[in-house]
Amino acid sequence: MNKPKVIQNLCKSCGYCVQFCPKKVIQIGQIRNEKGYYFPDFDLEGCIGCGTCAVMCPEAAIEMWKGEE
């Protein structure tokens, strides 16, 4: 199954990934990147690997990686 990976220093905390996740398994985390933005935190157990978060990210800060099921 595909799993999201955040490129932390590209994230600008826009929240689109959180807003458009169909399973609502993404939240803005508590850790800041080098630019001072909070990047998302994923509940990978609930993630279905649809890639909506990666498509909606205007900064291309989320990539989908193939993982083991």
Side-chain angles (χ1 to χ4, degrees):
M1 178 186 317
N2 293 331
K3 296 289 182 183
K5 179 183 176 200
V6 178
I7 303 168
Q8 298 172 359
N9 287 323
L10 292 180
C11 181
K12 291 188 177 174
S13 298
C14 69
Y16 287 166
C17 56
V18 175
Q19 181 180 352
F20 291 103
C21 177
K23 299 302 269 182
K24 305 298 181 202
V25 296
I26 308 171
Q27 62 184 11
I28 297 298
Q30 302 296 315
I31 301 171
R32 294 179 192 241
N33 63 19
E34 290 178 359
K35 296 178 183 176
Y37 297 106
Y38 293 101
F39 55 89
D41 186 30
F42 293 82
D43 172 10
L44 294 178
E45 292 293 319
C47 177
I48 59 173
C50 67
T52 301
C53 55
V55 171
M56 296 308 298
C57 180
E59 303 300 323
I62 302 173
E63 296 179 342
M64 297 302 291
W65 290 86
K66 290 205 183 267
E68 297 179 21
E69 292 192 39

